[in-house]
Amino acid sequence: MDLREDFSQYCFFEEVNFMTISGTARRTREDEECSGDNFTVMEMNTGQTFMSICDGMGSGKKAKQYSEMIIDMLEHLSESGFSESTSLKLINSILLAGNQWQEPTAVDMALIDQYSGICQFLKLGAACTYIKSTSLPMGVFQEVDVEAITKKLYDGDFVIMISDGIVDALKCEDKEEAMGRLIMEINTSSPREMALHILSRTLAMTDGIPKDDMTVLCTG
């Protein structure tokens, strides 16, 4: 038998059990050139989907630069393998150590494991996150102080993140509950259409005039 000395390398990857698809809808506050909201959706090579909205307080160029910087840091830290809570703590330390950025911000993050369907949520001063489920009642996650919480997702579920401008447009006392009802009334399997519907419905409540930056991020 002829034994050859050359060799080949093979790399095997386990196929994920779930695929994700996302859609967004945005409007900038009236009389402003750019939005202070920024967002990201990343499918990482670890079989995870990372999504985040950063709501820079206020609107305009300065808020945009601030939220953009935070989203950029979150992307790099997540790709480097840092957990969501560790990433947020590191970013907070960096911002506190600097003198040029003294603006408050709201951060909303979720990390979906495409193998297990488990989603980790972490929020800091952000508006509620909603889960529209085909098999369970509507899930609502309010502010979680740095520590992450987990939720099992199933085929057909949607994770819906919104910035404060969406919630503040609702003219009622219990805005979070009203937003939940609005989401449940939407009948579409398209994340993009769902995001557009939420934006258009809330804009209609302000006569089509955005009083604040408005961002909707849906992942199914």
Side-chain angles (χ1 to χ4, degrees), residues 3 14 26 54 64 80 85 88 109 141 157-158 184:
L3 296 177
E14 182 182 356
R26 310 175 72 193
C54 182
K64 176 181 182 294
S80 299
S85 57
L88 195 57
M109 291 185 284
F141 295 96
D157 289 356
F158 289 88
M184 288 303 295

Side-chain angles (χ1 to χ4, degrees), residues 5-23:
E5 294 184 357
D6 58 327
F7 64 92
S8 299
Q9 290 184 333
Y10 298 90
C11 189
F12 296 91
F13 295 93
E14 182 182 356
E15 186 176 359
V16 296
N17 295 313
F18 300 95
M19 304 296 292
T20 57
I21 185 170
S22 299

Side-chain angles (χ1 to χ4, degrees), residues 133-161:
S133 179
T134 56
S135 56
L136 296 169
M138 171 75 74
V140 182
F141 295 96
Q142 299 184 2
E143 181 176 343
V144 180
D145 186 13
V146 180
E147 295 302 325
I149 58 175
T150 61
K151 175 72 176 179
K152 171 70 175 177
L153 302 179
Y154 297 91
D155 185 35
D157 289 356
F158 289 88
V159 176
I160 302 155
M161 290 182 174

Side-chain angles (χ1 to χ4, degrees), residues 45-118:
N45 56 16
T46 55
Q48 296 172 307
T49 298
F50 175 76
M51 55 189 293
S52 177
I53 287 182
C54 182
D55 185 353
M57 296 297 99
S59 190
K61 186 176 180 179
K62 186 176 182 180
K64 176 181 182 294
Q65 290 176 332
Y66 188 65
S67 61
E68 195 173 61
M69 178 184 65
I70 292 176
I71 287 292
D72 187 57
M73 286 192 288
L74 284 173
E75 288 178 339
H76 282 87
L77 289 169
S78 296
E79 288 179 328
S80 299
F82 288 92
S83 69
E84 292 176 284
S85 57
T86 300
S87 297
L88 195 57
K89 289 174 182 176
L90 283 171
I91 290 173
N92 190 51
S93 298
I94 293 169
L95 298 178
L96 288 175
N99 295 318
Q100 65 187 81
W101 299 103
Q102 298 297 332
E103 298 293 323
T105 189
V107 182
D108 203 349
M109 291 185 284
L111 186 68
I112 302 172
D113 188 315
Q114 293 172 253
Y115 293 102
S116 65
I118 296 295

Side-chain angles (χ1 to χ4, degrees), residues 203-216:
L203 264 176
M205 299 178 189
T206 60
D207 299 321
I209 301 173
K211 305 295 184 182
D212 191 6
D213 299 322
M214 307 173 77
T215 302
V216 185

